[in-house]
Amino acid sequence: NGVKITTQQADLSLLKTVSAGPYNVGDNVTYTITVANAGPDLATNIQVKDALPAGLQFVSSQYFTNTNDTLVGMIDGLASGSSATLTYLAKIVQSGVIDNKAEISKADQFDIDSKPNNGFNNTEDDKDNEVIVTQATADLSLEKLVSNRNLNVNDLITYSVIIRNAGPDTARVV
């Protein structure tokens, strides 16, 4: 007598987005990772990893824990046809191109078209998101004015300081 064994399957996919730019050193950005299950079965114990590259510093998340710049998030269960969203906040700490990758690293069910924990190879369960960070440039000048140049002893004097920015970017304290 034959025994029919039916294995559970889930078709997991990952979409990763980043908050809108432009991006400058010192800015915080929010990364959003959406994991979807196309089924046919419930997916359980889904683990998502995000490897923070040089140029990003972890700030906070209610969904991820940070160990040596590898973020790990867990989704207990995901029904067929549903999705879950995980977010985290990171600070940009250097200029240039920052390529940030995430992957589904584990799930209890077999996934017919992807391989969990395959090293961020950009398949259906591995996605990257790139931001281009430019160093802001400002051209600041300072002018100091005095209210009255013809003073006598015990006269009050008022100084005014004018700071101008010729751009091209907005000047701000970092």
Side-chain angles (χ1 to χ4, degrees):
N1 287 342
V3 176
K4 182 178 179 181
I5 299 175
T6 304
T7 59
Q8 290 190 339
Q9 291 184 11
D11 185 6
L12 298 174
S13 61
L14 184 147
L15 174 66
K16 184 174 184 179
T17 59
V18 64
S19 53
Y23 311 101
N24 290 298
V25 173
D27 289 348
N28 283 337
V29 292
T30 300
Y31 282 93
T32 302
I33 298 171
T34 303
V35 177
N37 179 12
D41 297 307
L42 169 74
T44 56
N45 295 316
I46 304 160
Q47 184 181 66
V48 177
K49 285 186 181 176
D50 191 302
L52 284 183
L56 286 181
Q57 181 180 61
F58 178 74
V59 174
S60 66
S61 176
Q62 70 181 58
Y63 305 101
F64 287 95
T65 58
N66 180 17
T67 305
N68 299 323
D69 290 333
T70 298
L71 306 182
V72 177
M74 293 297 299
I75 302 168
D76 293 333
L78 202 53
S80 177
S82 66
S83 64
T85 301
L86 312 174
T87 60
Y88 68 90
L89 188 65
K91 183 177 183 176
I92 299 171
V93 294
Q94 74 183 39
S95 61
V97 176
I98 300 174
D99 191 19
N100 185 347
K101 298 182 179 189
E103 72 169 335
I104 297 170
S105 53
K106 184 178 96 172
D108 287 344
Q109 289 68 31
F110 173 72
D111 191 329
I112 196 166
D113 62 0
S114 61
K115 294 181 181 179
N117 207 28
N118 63 357
F120 305 103
N121 287 330
N122 207 23
T123 61
E124 182 178 350
D125 64 340
D126 307 325
K127 295 296 179 196
D128 64 348
N129 204 282
E130 184 178 276
V131 295
I132 299 174
V133 181
T134 57
Q135 187 65 45
T137 304
D139 183 6
L140 299 177
S141 63
L142 182 135
E143 181 180 3
K144 184 175 179 183
L145 305 172
V146 64
S147 63
N148 184 356
R149 293 185 183 266
N150 300 316
L151 299 172
N152 294 309
V153 175
N154 294 324
D155 283 351
L156 292 177
I157 186 168
T158 303
Y159 289 99
S160 299
V161 178
I162 300 170
I163 300 172
R164 291 184 180 87
N165 179 11
D169 296 313
T170 301
R172 60 188 177 117
V173 177
V174 178

